[in-house]
Amino acid sequence: MSLQSDNEIAALFDPNFDDPEPPVLPPGALPPSWAAAMAANRAAAAPIETGPVREPELAWSQAPAPAPLSPAPVAVPEPAQATEHDATTSGRGRRRTRGRKAGKSERTRQIKAAKKRADRDRKAVRLDLVGVEGNVTRTRRQSTAWFVQPPGPWNMRPVGRQRRYIQREGLVVANLAEAGVTGLHRRLVRTPWPVRQWAQAHDAWADPIPDVPGALSWADYLRGQQHAMLWGNPTQKGRYWGVELPPRSVTAQGLDLVGQWLLPVVDAPLLGTFARLWRKWARDAFLGEQKAIADHLATIERHLAGQGVNAKPATAAQMDYLLLRSATLGLPLDADGVISGGGDWAESDIAALEDLTNLELTPGDGYTTVRGQVGGRDYTGYAIVLTVGRMAPLPIPERMLPWQVIGDPSGEPLEWSERITLKTKSQTLHSLRRLTSRIESQFDHYTVEHDEIPPQELAEQHARAQQVISDIEEDHSGLSVRTEGWYRVLVVGATPAEAKEKVALLQEMYAPRIRLEHEHGQYQLLREFIPGEPLANTAHCRRMNVEALSAGMAAVGDRIGDRTGVVIGQTASIAPRPAVWDLFAAHEKKHKSGLTPIVAVPGSGKTFLAGMLVYQAVRAGAYGVVLDPSGPLKTLAQLPEFRGIAEVQALTGRTSRPGSLNPYRVIVDPRPGDPEYDPTSADYAEDADPVAAAQAQYEADIRAAEAERISVAVSVLKMMLAPTRLDHEWTETVLQTAANTVGGGRHHNLREVLDAIAAIGETDANVDLRSCAKSVHQDLAMMANLAEARVLFPEQGAGSEVDDDGGRDVRLTVLTMPGLQLPPEGTDPSQWTPQQRMACPLMHMAAWMANRLVYELPRYERKILFLDENKYLEQTGAGRTLNLRIARDSRKYKVRALVCSQLPDDYLGVDGTDDKSALTYEVIIGDLGGNAHAIEGALKLLNLPVGEGYEALLADLGGGGEDTLDEDTDTEHLDQARRFIVKMADDIELIRSDWTHFVHLAHVFEALDSRATRAVIGGAA
């Protein structure tokens, strides 16, 4: 279990829940049903305040830490006033002494009376636990050391690796058995997903843009994000390993028992001194026992810290949470303020656990009613404990989830209690041989004594026992160690009917291989979850080896992202929880590339998802550049919160600026002030003249930029030529010669290259070259006269030079290309119209423009770049070079590059070259339309093996449901959220892009998608 600090558990409830309701709900307010509940709650019980009106609190991340509450005043009876006669007598001092003694005895009497009442009320619920020392709980008979195992990965791992996870945990259990451990009490608890901590960390991580009057403020944005996350009741797992220590000595048990009897008199004048000394003696005896088994504890700690479990001794706060959560099962997960983290628990502290809940059991109902307070509110829960019954052979991990995780996809915060007895190899062999002897005796009873044919079951049982004996004798790995255990899972409902419905659902999920038994004695079964409590019953004991035991893998779950960045959706493999992504962790922490391929077919939601990531990143202070040829994302720049800091640049159409995509202007020169040209840098420390070396590097980069301009100019002109013209042997020579004649200076343009081609056609001595140059010039002149070409070929004297925007703090730039005619899929390039042929160079230079807008910013600034329609870039060598540059340089320039495409081949290289899969630290894969070739490429991008069953998962991506035109069976109204496979580092998970409860972002959804209903769900792009 991951804790934020030693005395803080992730909070679930909103501390601003009782803030005054504003007359008009602003963007980012509570969802409608929450607001209505708040209003009804305040109308029913709203105190009348006569003091000054309290200012409304800010969002959680900005709220000041609440001041500690002062203890309520306690009314103490005043002593009786002395009479005048008493004041004048010589015995005044003695009378006052007697009065103090009388007062003290009265308090003692009240304490005793309260203790008797508590004993009478609690006699049915008295806990066996008598204290906690560090991570060790103790009863009068047994001590248990507790360790915490962090959540582990499972999803999208190869079968071989999953089997190693199981075997490693099984070996840890086997090693514990060899070390002399005879019993385990394992507890799987749930803690709230740290929603408030996310907001605080996100606020510290971000450099938010200034608030705009009338628009969604940063505080409202954070508040709305938290409420949306809370709707899903997200939790995280914490698994405790309770290792039973050797039984306590008879002397220590007697000391504890007498200390228990003496507890009511610890405040008595004389007997209390003896009671305190006796209790100190009992505690010293316990500490002495722990010191005597220090080596044994060290061995246990070493085994549990191994590769299979990675558990550490529970901290004080973790022990607090284990005890308090176990004592309040059936109630909501507790909020802040319940974890003291103070450490050791005395017996009087243990008594407080008994008062946290009021348990009621109605005979025949089959559930336990739990009543208590959480966060100052009264709650009633109905708890049902199910026991794992008969189990068929389980094909884990080949075809099944771990058996303790099967119920997690239900979304219920299931908690487990496991009581396990470990058997050594010799003990197991002894019991199995006794069993075979009994079977043989029964066989003889049938055949010898009664001359009858024995049942077939006897022969099968005998063969099975012999097989187990053979496995144990021949096994040297330790995985044949046998166990006996009782496995309970807790289900809680708000009503008895709801609890029983959840039980039926869970039993159905586990059927037919595992039976979940609904036993009698629910009160005792619920108490069994509390550390130190005895086993409720011995029914349904499950006997298995440590490998089958560890195949439960209760600690595994969805593991992806972090708790700092932007929201990308929620996990959808095991248990739903928010999927949060720090867009710049790869650059700032891991020193990895920022290239993120987003691969999916049209209509799969990839543009919507990318738009949401860009919106959240720009809100958090990053610079955003979007190249969106189709234009739906241009509405992002028109959102109220981006007023004055966003702009849309049309690269085609009537409003486009002449020369805006001129290759000579788009590719910028390096700046002398960049860090790599600083002579004091460590890169020049070994040079004799660092200043000269830095200047030489700068001049070399200037020359490289000029060469790059020439190369890009040639590539753009080649894209505009028909395939038959490109195949001519002299075409490349003509273009390259003309571009070299013009040069690579930034003041040139493509019109000058056309003039140079015309000059070659008139003056060159080579007849073939002149003929080719005339034909090339004729074709390019025709293309240059198209309306779409004026951004590449400005007219002479028509302002071809585009001013660089300097001095403006533009946070979001959206490049659109209205009216651009993209070539149809599968059409031969020779059949393209001139307008369709112009689309490739325009897309290519638009990508270079987006690249320039990003890389001309300071390196330390966070940037997010979104390139759509990447397939047109990959059609040329220069485009592939641009993608490779983005992949390699994004780390140094702190750029998160979201590059959309419809096929993985754009990143893998059709012929095996230009493979950028090794540079993709994060990958997003959407619906691939079931295409087998695309699925195979996606597996390579995700670094997953072929033939492990992932193909079926990738083929089933998308919104779910079946598309039909039949009105009776149409599922369009269900608005299924889009699903993606997301890879972040080594973690790969199924993500559901569900934005249902993010009502504060409704205006963003409307801007990204005209169908507002589908946009709220995360609909199609």
Side-chain angles (χ1 to χ4, degrees):
M1 182 176 65
S2 176
L3 297 175
Q4 298 298 319
S5 65
D6 285 344
N7 56 4
E8 184 179 62
I9 291 292
L12 183 63
F13 300 100
D14 182 3
N16 295 330
F17 193 84
D18 291 323
D19 280 349
E21 184 76 14
V24 178
L25 289 179
L30 292 174
S33 60
W34 283 36
M38 289 171 52
N41 180 63
R42 282 192 296 275
I48 301 176
E49 298 184 2
T50 58
V53 179
R54 180 172 61 91
E55 292 294 329
E57 296 178 0
L58 301 175
W60 287 350
S61 61
Q62 298 179 352
L69 298 176
S70 58
V74 179
V76 179
E78 296 183 1
Q81 297 294 325
T83 62
E84 292 183 3
H85 176 73
D86 294 334
T88 57
T89 58
S90 59
R92 178 176 53 190
R94 290 191 297 272
R95 291 190 182 94
R96 288 181 177 176
T97 302
R98 286 196 300 270
R100 285 195 296 270
K101 289 182 179 180
K104 185 174 181 180
S105 62
E106 175 61 20
R107 286 194 296 274
T108 303
R109 187 194 66 78
Q110 292 177 3
I111 292 172
K112 289 181 178 180
K115 181 66 171 59
K116 289 179 180 179
R117 286 195 300 272
D119 289 342
R120 184 170 60 252
D121 295 339
R122 286 198 204 113
K123 60 183 179 181
V125 295
R126 175 70 68 187
L127 294 177
D128 282 1
L129 200 64
V130 297
V132 179
E133 302 284 344
N135 68 321
V136 179
T137 59
R138 62 186 176 102
T139 65
R140 281 184 290 275
R141 296 171 298 278
Q142 185 73 52
S143 297
T144 305
W146 292 90
F147 301 81
V148 177
Q149 176 185 4
W154 182 263
N155 292 325
M156 308 298 287
R157 264 62 176 184
V159 171
R161 188 180 301 180
Q162 291 174 338
R163 182 164 295 282
R164 285 197 297 274
Y165 292 157
I166 295 173
Q167 292 175 347
R168 287 170 182 171
E169 184 172 306
L171 287 174
V172 170
V173 180
N175 290 334
L176 291 177
E178 292 297 323
V181 175
T182 58
L184 297 175
H185 182 194
R186 298 195 299 194
R187 280 280 286 113
L188 181 75
V189 303
R190 297 283 183 156
T191 61
W193 195 84
V195 174
R196 189 178 67 174
Q197 283 85 342
W198 168 84
Q200 293 171 341
H202 191 67
D203 186 62
W205 171 80
D207 183 16
I209 59 176
D211 289 342
V212 176
L216 180 67
S217 68
W218 176 251
D220 286 336
Y221 166 76
L222 282 182
R223 186 179 294 111
Q225 294 288 90
Q226 293 169 89
H227 287 307
M229 295 181 188
L230 287 172
W231 269 105
N233 295 322
T235 61
Q236 57 187 1
K237 294 181 177 181
R239 195 188 197 191
Y240 290 79
W241 289 59
V243 180
E244 294 181 2
L245 302 178
R248 304 190 63 196
S249 65
V250 177
T251 302
Q253 294 185 37
L255 291 173
D256 266 348
L257 180 61
V258 176
Q260 173 76 11
W261 292 343
L262 294 175
L263 181 61
V265 298
V266 292
D267 294 327
L270 296 178
L271 193 57
T273 302
F274 174 74
R276 289 190 294 273
L277 289 174
W278 188 279
R279 290 177 61 81
K280 183 178 182 300
W281 186 14
R283 185 172 183 274
D284 290 342
F286 168 76
L287 295 178
E289 289 180 335
Q290 299 306 302
K291 187 178 297 184
I293 61 172
D295 292 340
H296 180 61
L297 274 173
T299 302
I300 292 173
E301 185 173 344
R302 185 176 65 255
H303 288 319
L304 287 174
Q307 196 172 16
V309 177
N310 298 319
K312 297 180 180 179
T315 64
Q318 290 168 338
M319 290 301 300
D320 284 357
Y321 191 78
L322 172 64
L323 296 176
L324 292 166
R325 180 59 193 155
S326 299
T328 57
L329 290 173
L331 299 181
L333 298 178
D334 217 335
D336 285 348
V338 302
I339 304 304
S340 65
D344 301 343
W345 289 56
E347 190 166 358
S348 57
D349 300 321
I350 298 296
L353 295 176
E354 303 163 0
D355 297 327
L356 293 178
T357 57
N358 181 21
L359 304 181
E360 298 176 6
L361 179 66
T362 304
D365 283 345
Y367 58 83
T368 304
T369 304
V370 184
R371 291 186 172 88
Q373 282 195 350
V374 176
R377 290 180 172 84
D378 294 325
Y379 289 92
T380 300
Y382 300 88
I384 297 177
V385 178
L386 300 177
T387 301
V388 174
R390 296 182 62 85
M391 303 171 67
L394 304 177
I396 301 173
E398 287 79 8
R399 299 198 305 272
M400 283 182 63
L401 283 172
W403 58 268
Q404 287 183 284
V405 182
I406 294 174
D408 284 4
S410 67
E412 292 299 315
L414 304 176
E415 301 203 17
W416 286 81
S417 175
E418 309 167 56
R419 297 295 181 97
I420 305 167
T421 301
L422 305 182
K423 301 292 186 179
T424 62
K425 186 175 181 177
S426 58
Q427 290 174 333
T428 304
L429 289 174
H430 177 70
S431 60
L432 286 173
R433 289 190 175 113
R434 289 184 58 189
L435 176 63
T436 54
S437 297
R438 289 200 299 268
I439 295 175
E440 291 169 355
S441 298
Q442 293 178 15
F443 193 88
D444 292 342
H445 179 75
Y446 277 97
T447 58
V448 176
E449 299 179 13
H450 296 281
D451 195 20
E452 295 181 358
I453 299 175
Q456 180 65 26
E457 290 81 357
L458 278 180
E460 293 176 353
Q461 291 176 7
H462 188 272
R464 177 60 179 160
Q466 291 295 331
Q467 180 65 42
V468 173
I469 291 174
S470 176
D471 291 343
I472 294 175
E473 289 178 338
E474 296 176 3
D475 175 69
H476 300 287
S477 66
L479 294 177
S480 62
V481 172
R482 308 291 293 182
T483 67
E484 295 179 355
W486 293 262
Y487 307 94
R488 327 282 194 191
V489 58
L490 175 68
V491 180
V492 179
T495 64
E498 179 182 322
K500 292 176 181 179
E501 289 176 1
K502 292 180 179 179
V503 165
L505 173 63
L506 201 62
Q507 289 174 329
E508 182 179 352
M509 295 177 70
Y510 273 85
R513 294 185 179 274
I514 300 177
R515 285 184 57 87
L516 295 182
E517 304 290 348
H518 188 175
E519 299 182 90
H520 296 293
Q522 285 291 309
Y523 172 80
Q524 289 78 10
L525 290 170
L526 185 63
R527 301 272 296 177
E528 190 181 303
F529 282 70
I530 303 176
E533 290 300 290
L535 192 66
N537 60 53
T538 58
H540 305 293
C541 175
R542 304 266 56 84
R543 296 174 176 87
M544 61 186 82
N545 60 30
V546 292
E547 187 170 6
L549 170 69
S550 299
M553 297 298 288
V556 303
D558 296 328
R559 188 182 78 172
I560 196 165
D562 48 55
R563 299 174 189 171
T564 302
V566 301
V567 178
I568 191 174
Q570 65 178 12
T571 58
S573 295
I574 294 181
R577 67 172 182 81
V580 178
W581 182 17
D582 183 347
L583 295 170
F584 306 101
H587 317 74
E588 299 171 348
K589 300 176 183 178
K590 302 295 184 179
H591 307 291
K592 300 291 184 178
S593 168
L595 173 65
T596 303
I598 303 180
V599 183
V601 298
S604 58
K606 61 180 183 294
T607 302
F608 184 92
L609 177 62
M612 288 301 303
L613 294 176
V614 170
Y615 171 82
Q616 295 179 81
V618 175
R619 283 232 59 152
Y623 287 85
V625 177
V626 176
L627 171 58
D628 183 29
S630 55
L633 294 183
K634 68 181 181 181
T635 51
L636 277 179
Q638 301 166 1
L639 293 175
E641 43 270 52
F642 294 155
R643 190 183 308 146
I645 61 171
E647 68 175 6
V648 178
Q649 293 186 20
L651 302 181
T652 58
R654 178 179 54 84
T655 59
S656 61
R657 293 181 292 179
S660 58
L661 293 184
N662 175 16
Y664 293 90
R665 296 291 296 174
V666 169
I667 300 175
V668 298
D669 287 325
R671 292 173 294 190
D674 287 345
E676 57 264 37
Y677 309 125
D678 184 3
T680 62
S681 172
D683 296 337
Y684 307 105
E686 298 181 0
D687 290 289
D689 188 353
V691 175
Q695 181 64 26
Q697 181 63 42
Y698 171 71
E699 293 173 355
D701 290 345
I702 287 287
R703 293 191 296 272
E706 293 176 351
E708 193 169 41
R709 292 190 189 98
I710 294 174
S711 174
V712 172
V714 172
S715 298
V716 168
L717 295 176
K718 288 171 63 177
M719 294 178 200
M720 290 187 286
L721 294 175
T724 54
R725 186 66 63 197
L726 285 174
D727 292 339
H728 196 281
E729 60 177 331
W730 294 104
T731 300
E732 181 77 24
T733 304
V734 168
L735 295 176
Q736 197 69 48
T737 302
N740 288 330
T741 300
V742 173
R746 200 174 177 217
H747 57 281
H748 297 299
N749 60 57
L750 287 179
R751 185 71 65 179
E752 299 177 32
V753 181
L754 285 185
D755 294 340
I757 294 175
I760 293 174
E762 296 292 339
T763 62
D764 197 89
N766 189 322
V767 177
D768 293 334
L769 193 62
R770 285 204 312 270
S771 176
C772 181
K774 288 180 180 180
S775 300
V776 170
H777 182 269
Q778 183 180 1
D779 291 348
L780 291 178
M782 183 270 295
M783 296 293 291
N785 290 328
L786 295 176
E788 294 85 355
R790 71 174 188 154
V791 292
L792 296 173
F793 297 92
E795 297 292 339
Q796 295 291 347
S800 62
E801 300 295 336
V802 180
D803 294 334
D804 296 330
D805 292 331
R808 290 187 56 197
D809 186 17
V810 178
R811 291 286 178 150
L812 175 62
T813 303
V814 181
L815 306 177
T816 64
M817 309 181 77
L820 184 68
Q821 298 184 31
L822 297 176
E825 294 272 347
T827 305
D828 189 273
S830 62
Q831 304 297 321
W832 292 354
T833 66
Q835 288 78 9
Q836 292 171 348
R837 191 174 298 116
M838 183 60 71
C840 285
L842 289 177
M843 283 290 301
H844 182 70
M845 289 313 304
W848 271 104
M849 179 69 171
N851 189 56
R852 168 210 157 180
L853 291 174
V854 166
Y855 286 100
E856 70 180 0
L857 292 168
R859 289 194 175 190
Y860 60 85
E861 294 286 359
R862 292 173 172 174
K863 316 165 192 73
I864 183 167
L865 170 66
F866 173 44
L867 299 179
D868 206 354
E869 303 294 348
N870 186 56
K871 61 182 178 180
Y872 296 105
L873 298 180
E874 285 293 327
Q875 291 178 355
T876 65
R880 291 191 291 270
T881 301
L882 173 61
N883 269 335
L884 191 60
R885 176 179 177 183
I886 292 173
R888 291 178 174 174
D889 293 347
S890 57
R891 177 187 63 84
K892 295 183 289 185
Y893 285 86
K894 203 178 291 188
V895 180
R896 170 57 58 192
L898 307 174
V899 185
C900 282
S901 188
Q902 297 177 15
L903 291 174
D905 287 344
D906 294 341
Y907 309 97
L908 299 174
V910 178
D911 56 355
T913 60
D914 299 317
D915 188 350
K916 294 178 280 293
S917 60
L919 301 175
T920 53
Y921 195 60
E922 290 99 346
V923 179
I924 300 176
I925 305 293
D927 185 11
L928 298 175
N931 184 276
H933 176 72
I935 290 175
E936 183 178 352
L939 290 176
K940 185 174 181 181
L941 271 180
L942 294 169
N943 196 25
L944 291 175
V946 178
E948 293 278 358
Y950 303 120
E951 292 85 353
L953 178 61
L954 288 171
D956 196 35
L957 288 176
E962 295 183 357
D963 193 10
T964 178
L965 298 179
D966 187 349
E967 296 181 358
D968 296 332
T969 59
D970 185 21
T971 59
E972 182 74 13
H973 64 283
L974 298 179
D975 286 327
Q976 297 284 345
R978 299 297 190 257
R979 297 186 300 165
F980 299 88
I981 296 293
V982 179
K983 174 181 179 291
M984 297 181 187
D986 289 335
D987 293 327
I988 307 175
E989 296 288 355
L990 179 64
I991 298 298
R992 190 167 178 266
S993 184
D994 187 355
W995 305 92
T996 304
H997 303 300
F998 291 76
V999 294
H1000 61 295
L1001 300 180
H1003 62 298
V1004 183
F1005 304 145
E1006 185 177 0
L1008 293 175
D1009 194 327
S1010 58
R1011 294 169 295 173
T1013 302
R1014 292 190 64 83
V1016 171
I1017 306 297

